[in-house]
């Protein structure tokens, strides 16, 4: 891969994530069919599509929470293979935000944010806490640092989850339906945080049904159906002039 | 007066038995926990023969009366392997540990099942290793869930331990019988043993409640 060559020459790759002909099966069912996708550094890509279309599976392959069975995935110049070293290196560079937050309930908000920096990046306690407060401020929740996750609302928990991922100073952020499990009145605060992150120049790959968010921040919208990418366009084109009939059918259902 | 003095004279004997019971049950409980962790690890290994052996082991142990297990280990196995006389005390420890491991592994399995899959994914996504996941994320959540049931299993071990007096272990129960034979008092020594067992088991559930409260501090679910 040319990305690998670039990395070895010490020039920072301008490609953050690339998938080449990636396929995956769950038993006999093919969830991903020859997916090829390139996300450049600083780019914001929104992935849309009906449930079961493989969107989540695709982004979960990027940090090896799911394993692809053929094709290549290169993250920040490192090709994902079944080796602990590679997987841990990629995971250090890739932050992920989940639908159900996945905060650690036995740790405070602050401890949630310092756990990985101290154990994975071997930061000192002081440095880790300074980093944690920097990002907790950013998501406007630093005043809750000593509470436990269960004492926070869903929207607050999701903002903590975003801060927790940012504390590893990732190069890419993956969002797997970050607002789908939230009460409607809490969706806004999480989307605002994501918009702010986009404005800061973070490379983002978001699986979401929030088409307003896609319109506002995406450089590209990708539409997936039945394990394939069937359309890929800038938001203006994507929303005003969808090419594929399955895209049109989907948009007519999600945009009222 | 004479009766009271006689009763007091027998106290050291009973306490000696209590120490033996404590020693056997303490060792057995620790070994059982180690065994239980091994069984859970085997069941989660994904290696077919390990999973099958662990499952068969737990099923057998749960279906086997503990007296039979003790007799098998004390009389049967030494005869089979031509070991001659074996230490009754160690046979007791091993028998209770083998039995306890099976039951404790079920407690741990149940506690692990109550954690959400998202905990592992959240930890892995942050770059934590498998070992760090278990040490920093899962175990601290499993312990407070499992503690009350684990304390219950240790209570069962203690209540099963008098069976060892059948293979010459001089535990609290055996001592109570000896005192009865010395003093021709069929009631007092047994009642004293009752009180000691009662406080022993009671203190275990008290300690477990204390630990559970400490471990769960601040995070009402």
């Amino acid at each position: 891969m040319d990305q690998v060559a670039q990395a070895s020459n010490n020039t920072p790759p301008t490609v953050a994530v690339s998938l080449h002909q990636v396929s995956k099966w769950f038993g006999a069912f093919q969830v991903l069919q020859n997916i090829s996708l390139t996300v450049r550094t600083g780019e914001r890509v929104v992935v849309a599509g009906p449930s079961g279309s493989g969107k989540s599976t695709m982004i979960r392959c990027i940090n090896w929470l799911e394993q692809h069975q053929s094709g290549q995935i290169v993250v920040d110049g490192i090709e994902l293979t079944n080796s602990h070293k590679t997987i841990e290196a990629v995971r250090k560079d890739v932050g992920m935000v989940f639908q159900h937050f996945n905060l650690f309930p036995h740790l405070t908000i602050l401890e949630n944010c310092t756990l990985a920096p101290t154990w994975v990046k071997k930061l000192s306690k002081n440095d880790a806490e300074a980093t944690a407060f920097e990002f907790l401020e950013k998501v406007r929740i630093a005043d809750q640092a000593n509470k436990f996750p269960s004492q926070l609302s869903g929207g607050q928990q999701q903002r903590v989850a975003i801060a927790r991922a940012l504390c590893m100073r990732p190069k890419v952020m993956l969002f797997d339906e970050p607002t789908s499990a939230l009460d409607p009145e809490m969706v806004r605060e999480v989307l605002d945080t994501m918009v702010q992150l986009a404005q800061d120049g973070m490379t983002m790959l978001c699986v979401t049904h929030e088409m307003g968010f896609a319109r506002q921040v995406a450089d590209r919208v990708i539409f997936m159906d039945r394990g394939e990418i069937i359309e890929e366009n800038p938001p203006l084109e994507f929303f005003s002039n969808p090419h594929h009939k399955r895209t049109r059918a989907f948009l007519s259902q999600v945009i009222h | 007066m004479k009766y009271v003095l006689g009763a007091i004279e027998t106290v050291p004997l009973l306490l000696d038995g209590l120490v033996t019971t404590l020693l056997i049950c303490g060792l057995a409980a620790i070994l059982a926990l180690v065994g239980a962790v091994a069984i859970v690890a085997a069941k989660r290994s994904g290696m077919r023969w390990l999973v099958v052996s662990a499952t068969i082991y737990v099923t057998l142990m749960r279906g086997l009366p503990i007296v039979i297990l003790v007799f098998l280990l004390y009389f049967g196995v030494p005869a089979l392997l031509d070991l001659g006389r074996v230490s009754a005390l160690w046979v007791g420890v091993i028998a209770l540990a083998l039995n306890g491991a099976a039951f404790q592994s079920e407690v741990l399995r149940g506690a692990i099942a109550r954690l959400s899959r998202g905990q592992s994914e959240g930890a892995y996504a942050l770059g934590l290793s498998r070992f760090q996941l278990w040490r920093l994320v899962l175990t601290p959540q499993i312990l407070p869930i499992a503690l009350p049931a684990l304390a219950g299993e240790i209570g069962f071990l203690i209540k099963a331990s008098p069976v060892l007096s059948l293979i010459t272990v001089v535990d609290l129960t055996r001592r109570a019988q000896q005192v009865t034979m010395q003093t021709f008092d069929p009631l007092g020594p047994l009642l004293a043993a009752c009180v000691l067992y009662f406080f022993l088991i009671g203190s275990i559930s008290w300690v477990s409640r204390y630990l559970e409260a400490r471990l769960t501090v601040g995070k009402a679910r």
Side-chain angles (χ1 to χ4, degrees):
Chain A
M1 294 294 292
D2 53 353
Q3 289 91 339
V4 178
Q6 267 183 338
S8 61
N9 287 340
N10 278 333
T11 47
T14 51
V15 173
V17 179
S18 89
L19 285 77
H20 181 70
Q21 298 280 308
V22 170
S23 292
K24 178 175 175 62
W25 290 260
F26 285 137
F29 176 69
Q30 188 168 5
V31 264
L32 297 179
Q33 307 195 29
N34 295 317
I35 298 279
S36 291
L37 170 70
T38 305
V39 181
R40 288 183 299 279
T41 305
E43 207 179 9
R44 277 86 59 170
V45 176
V46 164
V47 185
S51 61
S53 59
K55 331 179 277 296
S56 288
T57 307
M58 180 185 76
I59 74 161
R60 288 160 57 86
C61 282
I62 295 171
N63 64 354
W64 204 257
L65 288 183
E66 300 279 359
Q67 286 104 61
H68 60 288
Q69 284 142 332
S70 71
Q72 280 166 312
I73 300 178
V74 180
V75 182
D76 194 41
I78 306 167
E79 182 178 347
L80 264 174
T81 58
N82 192 2
S83 104
H84 281 285
K85 257 200 168 143
T86 326
I87 296 165
E88 278 168 27
V90 165
R91 284 174 175 168
K92 261 196 234 180
D93 282 349
V94 178
M96 189 166 203
V97 175
F98 299 88
Q99 185 176 358
H100 295 287
F101 332 137
N102 299 354
L103 294 177
F104 306 130
H106 61 299
L107 300 177
T108 64
I109 300 312
L110 183 62
E111 290 165 341
N112 264 278
C113 293
T114 55
L115 186 78
T118 44
W119 287 89
V120 180
K121 285 190 140 182
K122 314 290 182 199
L123 252 55
S124 72
K125 188 170 180 258
N126 281 343
D127 289 351
E129 288 188 352
T131 310
F133 273 108
E134 176 191 337
F135 289 109
L136 288 172
E137 298 279 0
K138 196 186 237 350
V139 303
R140 300 180 313 283
I141 209 150
D143 52 331
Q144 316 274 4
N146 291 315
K147 290 193 177 170
F148 286 90
S150 59
Q151 296 169 298
L152 268 51
S153 74
Q156 290 175 319
Q157 291 189 46
Q158 193 60 297
R159 286 189 279 141
V160 170
I162 294 172
R164 179 178 75 172
L166 291 175
C167 284
M168 289 297 283
R169 301 196 186 275
K171 295 177 175 151
V172 182
M173 283 286 282
L174 307 175
F175 291 84
D176 188 4
E177 303 203 25
T179 57
S180 300
L182 294 174
D183 291 334
E185 73 271 23
M186 293 168 183
V187 170
R188 193 69 254 162
E189 61 185 78
V190 171
L191 289 180
D192 285 346
T193 307
M194 292 169 65
V195 170
Q196 196 197 345
L197 199 58
Q199 284 163 351
D200 291 347
M202 176 59 78
T203 309
M204 294 164 69
L205 190 52
C206 316
V207 172
T208 181
H209 296 297
E210 296 292 336
M211 291 301 121
F213 171 79
R215 237 187 257 270
Q216 194 181 347
V217 306
D219 296 306
R220 259 187 303 154
V221 182
I222 283 168
F223 183 76
M224 281 182 75
D225 193 20
R226 297 172 209 173
E228 287 176 293
I229 293 179
I230 61 174
E231 194 153 342
E232 182 174 350
N233 266 317
L236 199 65
E237 175 78 3
F238 181 84
F239 290 110
S240 60
N241 186 21
H243 296 261
H244 203 285
K245 70 174 196 298
R246 278 188 264 165
T247 317
R248 286 196 291 272
F250 175 77
L251 286 176
S252 71
Q253 281 165 346
V254 294
I255 298 173
H256 310 285
Chain B
M1 195 59 204
K2 209 178 154 196
Y3 179 82
V4 173
L5 279 178
I8 288 171
E9 272 171 22
T10 64
V11 166
L13 274 178
L14 286 177
L15 288 185
D16 176 70
L18 180 68
V19 168
T20 305
T21 292
L22 267 174
L23 180 74
I24 291 174
C25 292
L27 281 173
I30 292 165
L31 290 175
L33 189 58
V34 173
V37 170
I39 292 168
V40 171
K43 280 193 175 179
R44 300 177 64 88
S45 68
M47 278 182 276
R48 208 181 136 74
W49 65 273
L50 266 179
V51 178
V52 171
S53 332
T55 308
I56 291 174
Y57 176 82
V58 171
T59 312
L60 279 181
M61 280 298 158
R62 298 217 298 176
L64 190 65
I66 197 144
V67 193
I68 302 292
L69 177 66
V70 168
F71 284 174
L72 275 175
L73 290 178
Y74 189 65
F75 302 116
V77 172
L80 188 72
L81 302 178
D82 208 11
L83 294 176
R85 247 181 100 75
V86 293
S87 154
L89 187 121
W90 281 104
V91 165
V93 170
I94 291 166
L96 292 182
L98 288 175
N99 183 266
F103 285 91
Q104 290 189 17
S105 78
E106 289 294 284
V107 171
L108 294 183
R109 196 178 59 90
I112 293 167
R114 277 180 51 186
L115 303 183
S116 81
R117 211 171 80 114
Q119 291 294 304
S120 309
E121 294 188 344
Y124 282 145
L126 287 164
L128 267 67
S129 67
R130 198 179 151 91
F131 177 76
Q132 289 170 331
L133 163 74
W134 280 92
R135 172 171 169 202
L136 302 167
V137 176
L138 300 183
T139 307
Q141 294 185 62
I142 292 166
L143 279 184
I145 301 176
L147 252 170
L150 284 182
E153 292 301 336
I154 294 173
F156 271 112
L157 278 191
I158 295 170
K159 283 185 277 185
S161 68
V163 96
L164 302 179
S165 60
L166 294 176
I167 58 164
T168 74
V169 174
V170 188
D171 69 336
L172 179 54
T173 302
R174 185 83 192 116
R175 278 292 189 216
Q177 286 176 320
Q178 287 176 345
V179 172
T180 293
M181 282 186 275
Q182 268 183 26
T183 59
F184 303 107
D185 174 6
L187 188 61
L190 281 177
L191 281 180
C194 274
V195 172
L196 289 173
Y197 277 118
F198 184 80
F199 278 107
L200 184 54
I201 290 165
S203 61
I204 281 168
S205 55
W206 182 81
V207 168
S208 113
R209 271 202 298 276
Y210 171 78
L211 284 177
E212 190 195 350
R214 289 229 14 192
L215 289 169
T216 29
V217 72
K219 45 177 196 288
R221 273 161 201 275

